[in-house]
Structures are given as C-alpha cells and as structure tokens.
Amino acid sequence: MEKKQLAPLCRALPVLLATLVTLAMLVTLAGCGSGTSAGGGLTIADETAFSYSESLDENGHWVGIRALDYVDAFSYLGLTIPSEVHQITEDDVKSEIDMNILTYYEISEQVTDRAVADGDTINIDYVGTVGGAAFEGGDSNEEGKQVVVGDTELFAEDFLEQLIGAMPGDKVNVKVTLPDSYVDESVQSKEAVFATTVHYIVDYDVELTDEYVEENMLDSYGWSTIAEMEEDVRATLEANAIQSYITNYFTTEAPVKSVPARLINYQERYMVQYFEEYAAYYGFESIEPFIAEYESVSSIEELADKYYDNNLSSATYYLVVQAVAEDAGITVSDEDLEHYLGSDYASYEEDYGMPFMMQSALSSKVMEYVKGSAVLA
C-alpha cells in the first residue's frame, strides 16, 4: 500500500556530501533526473568496490592531474552577480520558512471535532491484509502516519479518499487493489483490506510567535524572535543564490578544454554507490529492480547514460575548482578542515577517507574565495 518515496537525487548525486559540509551543496544540477545522454557508460568493472577517496591525493586533488592543463585562464574574481539572482523577496523568505523549517517543527493543532475532508492532513494507523494474511509494508506499526488526503504518490489510488467523512477516532476498513509494482511481489495486483484508524486532523494554520521561536529554535539556530529568523533566512537564501550562480558559472562558462574520463567515471561510480545504498535501504536485494522501478531503466549502463550530462557537469565543476585552487595557490589546513567540515571531522575519515574530506574542504574554500570578491549588481 505504501510506496516509499526517494529523497531528491539532486542532493545526493554531487560528490560533496551534506553530512560533511556545513555550507549549501556546491553542485546543484538543474533538471536532475531528466538528464539526457551524450555518451558515457561505466569504465570500471562493477565488482570493483567504490571508495569516496579513490582517484584523490592527500591534498584533495585528482591524482596525476594538473587541472590548469585542462582549463584555460579565466576571470573568476570580481564576478558580477545580477540583481535578479541575489535579490530575495518576502515570498522567498516565507516559503523557505514554511516549507523547509517549520515542517520539521510541526507547529500545528490536533483537530478532533469535525469529519475528514479532501486535502486534509490526517494522522492514521493501519493494518493491511490480503485474504486475511498480513504482508510486507502493509502495517504502520502504530507509528501514527501523517498523510494528506488526495495524495496518491505514497498510497494506492483511492485509499485515502475512502477516509473522507470519517471522524477522528473512527475505524474504517479501506479496500484497495495493490499496484503491480508493490514491493511485496506475492500480493501485487491483489485486493487488500486495511483496518485504518483515524486519530486526528492536523491544523497547520497556527500563529507563529516570538515565544515559540525562542523556545524551539534558539539552541539550534540562535533565533529568539521571528525577525531574527527572517533576517537569517534571507541572508542564507542570498548566499545560496550567489553560490549557485558561481557553481553554474564554473560548469558552463569556464574555458574547459576537456574533462579527463577518470573524473566522469568517478561521478558515475559515486552515482551507482548512491543507488545501491538506497536500494538496500528500501529492501531491494539488488540495484537492478530498484532502478527499474524508480528510474525506469533496465541496467546500470542505462542509468549511467541517463545521468551522463549530470555526471559530466559535476566532473567539470570539481576540475574547475582544482584549477582555481592551483591558480590562486589555495590549500587546505587542519584549521580549514575544522572550519568547513566541523570540529568532529576526524570521525568521518573511516567512511570517506582524508583525500575526499580534503577535496570537500577545498571546494568550500575556493567557493568562499570567489564569493568574497563577487560584485552584487
């Protein structure tokens, strides 16, 4: 009944991991998931285990590659950032607060005195059976699932609609036909009954106050008032917009003569590693059925072709980053590692390796260097 939804791929395909870097992701590939192939395909055997630090040296540079041999000299200091890029509107701030901050705090009230209506966010539990027998993924395990009536992305069609008119506290037997792509193959396309309990309706139309901000966000964000929150969010959005502009400039405007195949191959192998981890997380025994369901491709080679343009953009970006570092003499110190990756950066070394962490910090330092000279139009 419940089809798990993937996190956005755009956040995971770039090499720079969010767990390692406190800044916003440096590589934001527009149109992630809709890339078209210009060629590609894996060049290292699939059975070769991927390492985040493979092909990187102790300085975070690509082994044996002088980036300035592949990137002609170009002006990266004093870049003019157009006003439409960095000017943040009140709507931008509100949307960021509503969608990416308050959703984690669930500022809401539980409504129990009216019936469920289409579009409502409701809290439910369910136990599904086929022919009286339970099946994989059919039980909410009494965790209180929060769902939106009308959402057919995560639930079988017409499942939630059958709860319209129910009162909080009601128990409803929801009858649906499981999709032919359901995770438990033994019950695909079969009739299922879900004994569903409606706990309450969620009302998000609750006023945000300075008191709530101080009580819930002071420790994590340093905000004690709504005004402080809005000011900080505005500054962050502006910084991210400028950073995205510079990232795009590096990948589309820098005079790159060619990109070594090894860099593209690294991105492809990183991509495969990502999909393998997600496949395991969602209970798939191998990557092939997972990418068939979520990416509509039948093989790893087709997946590499689908994301070739994205992987080429990432490879280009990190080549240009290294070229700027070489040209400007930018290196990474222990203090830089702590500044960009956090005081506990050493705890990540076993999983990612020091070369990868050095590259992550170098990317952040180069971006900070270029941003520092940018001119806002």
Side-chain angles (χ1 to χ4, degrees), residues 1-58:
M1 184 274 300
E2 186 175 6
K3 181 180 178 182
K4 301 180 179 70
Q5 187 175 23
L6 295 183
L9 295 181
C10 293
R11 297 183 179 182
L13 288 177
V15 174
L16 194 57
L17 293 181
T19 52
L20 288 179
V21 183
T22 56
L23 299 176
M25 295 298 292
L26 296 183
V27 180
T28 303
L29 301 177
C32 186
S34 60
T36 57
S37 172
L42 300 178
T43 58
I44 296 181
D46 294 342
E47 62 268 17
T48 304
F50 173 77
S51 166
Y52 291 99
S53 285
E54 66 182 44
S55 298
L56 296 170
D57 65 21
E58 67 277 6

Side-chain angles (χ1 to χ4, degrees), residues 287-337:
I287 186 175
E288 283 77 10
F290 178 79
I291 61 177
E293 178 171 347
Y294 287 99
E295 292 297 318
S296 301
V297 296
S298 60
S299 67
I300 292 176
E301 288 72 23
E302 286 188 16
L303 183 70
D305 282 344
K306 178 177 181 179
Y307 283 105
Y308 179 79
D309 289 347
N310 289 357
N311 290 325
L312 175 60
S313 292
S314 285
T316 301
Y317 174 78
Y318 286 103
L319 180 67
V320 175
V321 163
Q322 183 175 318
V324 173
E326 291 172 359
D327 186 64
I330 299 173
T331 59
V332 174
S333 65
D334 290 342
E335 290 74 17
D336 291 328
L337 285 170

Side-chain angles (χ1 to χ4, degrees), residues 11-277:
R11 297 183 179 182
L13 288 177
V15 174
L16 194 57
L17 293 181
T19 52
L20 288 179
V21 183
T22 56
L23 299 176
M25 295 298 292
L26 296 183
V27 180
T28 303
L29 301 177
C32 186
S34 60
T36 57
S37 172
L42 300 178
T43 58
I44 296 181
D46 294 342
E47 62 268 17
T48 304
F50 173 77
S51 166
Y52 291 99
S53 285
E54 66 182 44
S55 298
L56 296 170
D57 65 21
E58 67 277 6
N59 297 311
H61 290 200
W62 300 105
V63 173
I65 291 177
R66 180 178 180 270
L68 288 175
D69 292 338
Y70 297 89
V71 182
D72 288 333
F74 72 104
S75 298
Y76 51 81
L77 295 180
L79 291 179
T80 298
I81 312 298
S83 59
E84 62 268 20
V85 169
H86 65 82
Q87 289 182 354
I88 307 301
T89 68
E90 294 299 326
D91 287 343
D92 294 333
V93 174
K94 184 179 186 304
S95 177
E96 178 69 15
I97 291 174
D98 289 346
M99 301 300 295
N100 294 323
I101 297 177
L102 298 186
T103 52
Y104 292 99
Y105 289 92
E106 293 189 353
I107 302 177
S108 61
E109 293 178 350
Q110 298 179 10
V111 177
T112 59
D113 60 355
R114 69 169 178 83
V116 174
D118 190 19
D120 277 345
T121 299
I122 58 177
N123 188 283
I124 64 173
D125 273 304
Y126 49 83
V127 176
T129 57
V130 171
F135 55 90
E136 181 184 353
D139 192 331
S140 65
N141 298 311
E142 298 183 349
E143 294 177 354
K145 300 287 186 180
Q146 208 131 289
V147 297
V148 178
V149 178
D151 180 6
T152 59
E153 175 72 22
L154 301 179
F155 287 81
E157 190 173 358
D158 296 333
F159 181 99
L160 297 176
E161 283 76 0
Q162 294 181 50
L163 301 178
I164 294 175
M167 291 290 294
D170 284 354
K171 298 182 185 299
V172 181
N173 284 332
V174 175
K175 299 178 181 179
V176 298
T177 300
L178 295 174
D180 56 13
S181 60
Y182 190 75
V183 64
D184 186 341
E185 295 181 359
S186 66
V187 295
Q188 289 176 352
S189 303
K190 293 186 177 180
E191 298 295 321
V193 177
F194 289 87
T196 306
T197 301
V198 179
H199 295 307
Y200 54 83
I201 301 166
V202 183
D203 179 11
Y204 287 108
D205 190 20
V206 180
E207 183 180 3
L208 181 67
T209 64
D210 288 343
E211 291 74 17
Y212 184 92
V213 171
E214 182 172 15
E215 180 180 351
N216 293 277
M217 303 179 188
L218 182 61
D219 290 341
S220 55
Y221 291 101
W223 303 328
S224 58
T225 66
I226 295 174
E228 289 177 359
M229 175 176 64
E230 292 175 341
E231 181 180 359
D232 195 18
V233 167
R234 180 183 298 277
T236 299
L237 289 176
E238 179 183 278
N240 289 346
I242 295 171
Q243 188 161 291
S244 294
Y245 182 87
I246 295 172
T247 297
N248 185 66
Y249 184 84
F250 277 13
T251 57
T252 62
E253 300 298 327
V256 177
K257 292 180 287 187
S258 65
V259 179
R262 178 150 43 96
L263 274 64
I264 302 172
N265 178 248
Y266 178 95
Q267 299 298 330
E268 291 175 333
R269 284 169 51 75
Y270 180 94
M271 173 196 67
V272 173
Q273 168 81 359
Y274 162 76
F275 278 103
E276 287 177 340
E277 290 178 352

